[in-house]
Amino acid sequence: EDLVCFRDIRPGAPHHYLVVPVEHMGNCKTLKTEHIPIVKRMMEVGKAVLQRNNFSDLNDIRMGFHWPPFCSISHLHLHVLAPASQLGFLSRLVYRINSYWFIT
């Protein structure tokens, strides 16, 4: 009810989804302690969508947010990528764990 999930238009992995709150939220810099439950639900939805699409190795996934100013839109969206082991060279840079531009 409060989240939507859809495929990324420029996938960085065989499975690349965005989980987005229906209610407008800014980027990940605007998150506060009270947003922890919705971020957890976003992660649960991402995992559920992977499983519904026949991807079951949840140890081989990457989830995270682009850190401003590296966001393409100013609405919170969680990237869900799988399998992380199959990310190409450019995707490994763009979705690099806890980098200056992508946080997990």
Side-chain angles (χ1 to χ4, degrees), residues 1-6 18-26 31 35 38-39 41-42 45 65 73-78:
E1 293 177 15
D2 57 345
L3 298 172
V4 294
C5 182
F6 50 89
L18 300 176
V19 181
V20 183
V22 172
E23 182 180 320
H24 178 72
M25 295 180 74
L31 292 174
H35 297 119
I38 195 159
V39 172
R41 281 199 318 278
M42 291 171 78
V45 166
F65 302 98
I73 60 170
S74 61
H75 186 95
L76 188 70
H77 58 287
L78 175 71

Side-chain angles (χ1 to χ4, degrees), residues 4-102:
V4 294
C5 182
F6 50 89
R7 288 188 176 274
D8 193 294
I9 60 171
R10 289 184 307 234
H15 295 273
H16 188 167
Y17 305 99
L18 300 176
V19 181
V20 183
V22 172
E23 182 180 320
H24 178 72
M25 295 180 74
N27 57 51
C28 57
K29 273 191 173 180
T30 65
L31 292 174
K32 297 183 176 23
T33 306
E34 61 263 20
H35 297 119
I36 290 173
I38 195 159
V39 172
K40 285 183 178 181
R41 281 199 318 278
M42 291 171 78
M43 294 173 67
E44 291 168 4
V45 166
K47 289 176 184 178
V49 168
L50 286 172
Q51 290 174 320
R52 252 184 259 132
N53 285 282
N54 300 318
F55 186 83
S56 57
D57 184 3
L58 298 181
N59 293 316
D60 193 17
I61 64 174
R62 182 160 307 164
M63 290 194 228
F65 302 98
H66 279 110
W67 196 250
F70 303 101
C71 304
S72 57
I73 60 170
S74 61
H75 186 95
L76 188 70
H77 58 287
L78 175 71
H79 288 267
V80 180
L81 300 110
S85 61
Q86 291 184 23
L87 291 174
F89 176 76
L90 187 57
S91 291
R92 280 185 304 212
L93 290 175
V94 172
Y95 303 102
R96 186 175 172 187
I97 295 173
N98 296 326
S99 59
Y100 182 69
W101 52 87
F102 188 75

